[in-house]
Amino acid sequence: MNVLIKGADILTLDPHDRVLHDCDIAIAGHAIHAVGGIPRDFHPDETVVGRHRLVVPAFFNAHCHSPMTLVRGWAEDLPFDRWLNEKIWVAESALTPEDVFWGAALASAEMIRSGTVGFADHYFWMEEVAKVVEVSGMKALLAWCLFGLGAEREIGHATLQKTVDFARLRHRGGESRLRVALGPHSPYMCPDAFLRKVVDAAHRLHIGIHLHLSESHEQVERSLAEHGQTPVAHMAELGLFDGPIHALAAHCISVTQGDLALLARKRVCVAHSPKTYMKLGMGMAPLQRFLELGINAALATDGPASNSDLNMLEVMRLAGLVQKNDQRKAEAMPCGRLLRLATSAGAQAMGFSDSGAIVEGGRADLILFDTDQAHWVPRHDLAAAVVYTAHPGDVTDVMCDGRWLLRHKELVTLDEERVRREAEVRALRLVGAGMHQVRRYRG
Ligand SMILES: [Zn+2]
């Protein structure tokens, strides 16, 4: 389908950070055909009036557990160990594949409404999330989470072979909206022998690895005591960062200078989720250092059980505010940088390298904001307005791969009423069901 957006303001996030006013965008099929001068032979099937609209590249969420929408608000005001041991890993013992489907569908509705078109998911029964990706029209990098402690302690008695079969079946790469990675939970849960098998499988399948890494001082201390190495150095030694595709490591909050150098050298992508860190009192990852050292950092919400929502606008805002405040430096994390961390950096981390800018030939992944509102006036700096002022409720339209997922504030691909109803019933059943602790976290 050919779409012409006429007379909009555009935050291109191109290499020159161009901001265009009263400008046209031509979209042909999956891609942006032209920005500015529209070729005479371009014939749109649909013309969108861009007056009072700001067009921005869509967001990519670099680490989440989307079906955890079902336990949103169920494990509040608890430290990380009690949050996992007493709540999250207990509720998940009662989880069914259908719960995963509806939880991910609810997450997708929420993500689309707040301008996110791509997410890196790390959870169980990933074939269910793959179905949601198919239906919703979003993009995703799906990693089936495994602990490597034996089938009886895995959700749904999953095995590495099962996740390998899923990856083989679903991984398309290239033009597809779906990518797959292997998802060992973390160095603190997974035995070395299991992690070595994961590395072998990643090489065989030619896919990446997505895991949690170095989230606390206690995890580092334990790793030093058990392996004589930090978690980052330990994972490097086991070969987790030498796969055919860069690894995606969530968090890296407690890291040494040596760890940082290693993450940079091995081209590991680090997902940064400041709202989760603050909410669980985990301390802040050194985002500024990541970027100074050339580490590929990208912003992420983490799961809605810790973050409470999937709003990348808020993550972007917090990422900026925390760095400015911690460094006592207002120049830290300028708006253009934050916007890239929420768009192109996440897209790259997930393997969608032609997303993240409104440029000719780029993928048509974009958001339209309604700027005809009090909090958008005056429009001195549109990048600052998106980072520090915009609300998810300002998003009127969202396009992914040239297809509308949200149009005039209505979800196009998902039956939102049904998704909300199913998710609510399942969430109430889940936390009221007979639950038991599946496994134990030790700091
Ligand atoms: Zn996580």
Side-chain angles (χ1 to χ4, degrees), residues 165-344:
D165 291 344
F166 163 74
R168 211 171 259 135
L169 189 71
R170 285 294 192 165
H171 190 68
R172 296 274 182 275
E175 292 288 294
S176 155
R177 288 185 286 107
L178 194 66
R179 311 254 188 280
V180 171
L182 293 175
H185 183 272
S186 58
Y188 55 87
M189 292 305 296
C190 302
D192 286 2
F194 168 73
L195 289 169
R196 283 195 194 95
K197 284 186 198 158
V198 170
V199 171
D200 287 345
H203 280 282
R204 274 201 315 278
L205 294 161
H206 202 81
I207 59 176
I209 294 172
H210 179 179
L211 79 170
H212 295 94
L213 183 59
S214 224
E215 298 158 305
S216 69
H217 182 61
E218 292 73 28
Q219 287 175 15
V220 176
E221 290 293 305
R222 198 180 127 200
S223 178
L224 288 169
E226 288 181 6
H227 307 290
Q229 289 173 307
T230 64
V232 172
H234 185 48
M235 291 303 97
E237 190 180 277
L238 290 177
L240 268 91
F241 305 149
D242 295 323
I245 306 227
H246 60 255
L248 174 55
H251 314 322
C252 300
I253 296 171
S254 192
V255 280
T256 64
Q257 292 307 319
D259 291 341
L260 289 168
L262 206 47
L263 292 169
R265 199 167 70 243
K266 299 283 185 181
R267 305 211 54 73
V268 175
C269 285
V270 176
H272 180 74
S273 312
K275 186 174 171 190
T276 282
Y277 310 159
M278 292 163 86
K279 204 148 169 278
L280 289 172
M282 297 166 83
M284 191 50 59
L287 178 62
Q288 184 76 43
R289 289 291 290 148
F290 293 159
L291 300 175
E292 283 165 2
L293 292 166
I295 293 169
N296 298 315
L299 295 181
T301 57
D302 208 347
S306 55
N307 182 305
S308 300
D309 64 14
L310 294 152
N311 174 5
M312 290 293 287
L313 284 167
E314 185 180 50
V315 168
M316 191 164 51
R317 192 164 298 163
L318 286 174
L321 293 175
V322 167
Q323 291 298 321
K324 286 175 190 297
N325 187 61
D326 284 359
Q327 296 176 44
R328 301 286 186 274
K329 193 173 171 190
E331 313 91 285
M333 291 294 147
C335 293
R337 179 155 241 191
L338 289 165
L339 282 162
R340 283 190 167 78
L341 290 176
T343 54
S344 52

Side-chain angles (χ1 to χ4, degrees), residues 102 105 109 135 411-421:
W102 290 105
V135 174
L411 289 171
V412 178
T413 53
L414 294 170
D415 177 350
E416 190 173 14
E417 214 180 290
R418 172 146 192 234
V419 167
R420 283 163 60 167
R421 199 173 56 238

